[in-house]
Amino acid sequence: MSDVRPTFRCGPRDGAGTGPALSGRPTCGGRGQACPISVHPVDRLDREQTGTERPCTGACVAVRLRHSERDAFEGGVTLPELDHVALLRLAIGESRKAREAGNHPFACILVGPDGTVLMTQHNAFMPDHDMTGHAERVLMTRASTSLPHELLKECTIYTSAEPCAMCAGAIYWTGLKRVVFGLTERALKEITGNHPENPTLDLPCEVVFAAGQRKVEVIGPMLEDEAAAVHEGFWSAP
């Protein structure tokens, strides 16, 4: 690949890198592999200064996959069918981890066309009480600033709850192919009520996508009981 000038170290997992900035080609994820990501602005949620450090967002994995996936598409190779149930369970499991970490119980994952989990994102309301820190919105910011469009347009987001209007808009503008979700916005509203930290919008994401100029496939609700169980007692806690 040409014009590759990384000056940062990737972390051992999505969003967890803390290594110092390096010149040349740093290793990725501690696996001794050269990271092929070009330098780009650091999202404010990374809490680092541009050009000094960059936690791994999964782009290092995605860029390595990019050319092989493109060749597969052009060569007419059939990629494996995604296991929506298993992948959604991964997202729901991450929502449980988000709650255990002291955040709102929401999470999502970005999955490539071959079933590779490219990125994982928990809700980011804490520690700054960011009302726009929904897991899907943050994930789309990360993905759209680090992954190539030709990959994103074949990707699927699996999310523990239906994307709100803000998140659906972010998914649309990022160019994703598909959304698979657990809990509907209506069911979530019944759970959260008018909680000041999550005054849920009862608006199906399909309504937002229908106003756009390209199709976004929507699959859901799925595994609603499992997704709802993660919220038990959370929104009524003092």
Side-chain angles (χ1 to χ4, degrees):
M1 298 176 66
S2 60
D3 192 31
V4 176
R5 300 182 301 277
T7 59
F8 48 86
R9 180 183 296 281
C10 291
R13 60 189 292 258
D14 293 348
T18 56
L22 302 174
S23 59
R25 293 175 64 83
T27 58
C28 176
R31 295 185 295 272
Q33 298 169 318
C35 180
I37 317 172
S38 297
V39 174
H40 52 79
V42 179
D43 187 278
R44 73 174 183 83
L45 292 173
D46 291 332
R47 302 181 182 286
E48 295 170 348
Q49 297 179 353
T50 302
T52 58
E53 288 188 45
R54 175 74 184 191
C56 178
T57 62
C60 44
V61 175
V63 174
R64 285 198 298 274
L65 291 172
R66 178 176 57 181
H67 293 295
S68 62
E69 287 173 346
R70 183 188 63 194
D71 293 343
F73 300 146
E74 293 176 351
V77 176
T78 301
L79 292 169
E81 185 174 343
L82 298 178
D83 187 337
H84 296 318
V85 171
L87 289 165
L88 182 57
R89 279 204 170 107
L90 285 179
I92 293 171
E94 290 297 327
S95 72
R96 186 173 293 105
K97 293 178 185 178
R99 176 174 180 169
E100 291 169 354
N103 229 314
H104 290 178
F106 301 101
C108 56
I109 60 174
L110 181 67
V111 176
D114 66 345
T116 301
V117 177
L118 303 176
M119 293 183 180
T120 298
Q121 182 63 54
H122 294 177
N123 178 275
F125 176 75
M126 295 297 286
D128 296 329
H129 296 86
D130 182 0
M131 294 294 286
T132 69
H134 293 192
E136 303 96 325
R137 199 282 301 163
V138 178
L139 183 62
M140 291 302 93
T141 296
R142 291 172 56 200
S144 64
T145 57
S146 62
L147 302 183
H149 175 69
E150 60 265 31
L151 175 60
L152 288 170
K153 70 182 182 181
E154 300 296 337
C155 287
T156 301
I157 184 172
Y158 291 83
T159 179
S160 59
E162 183 175 11
C164 71
M166 173 184 69
C167 295
I171 290 166
Y172 174 83
W173 286 110
T174 301
L176 297 195
K177 177 180 182 177
R178 183 185 298 115
V179 174
V180 180
F181 69 86
L183 202 59
T184 64
E185 279 286 86
R186 176 159 294 180
L188 180 64
K189 183 179 179 181
E190 292 176 359
I191 293 172
T192 64
N194 190 29
H195 195 284
E197 294 181 1
N198 202 94
T200 304
L201 282 168
D202 183 4
L203 180 71
C205 63
E206 288 178 293
V207 173
V208 177
F209 296 138
Q213 299 185 65
R214 65 173 187 83
K215 178 178 174 59
V216 179
E217 181 183 0
V218 177
I219 299 175
M222 292 176 62
L223 306 177
E224 278 197 285
D225 289 344
E226 294 180 32
V230 183
H231 294 261
E232 288 182 2
F234 184 86
W235 302 103
S236 59

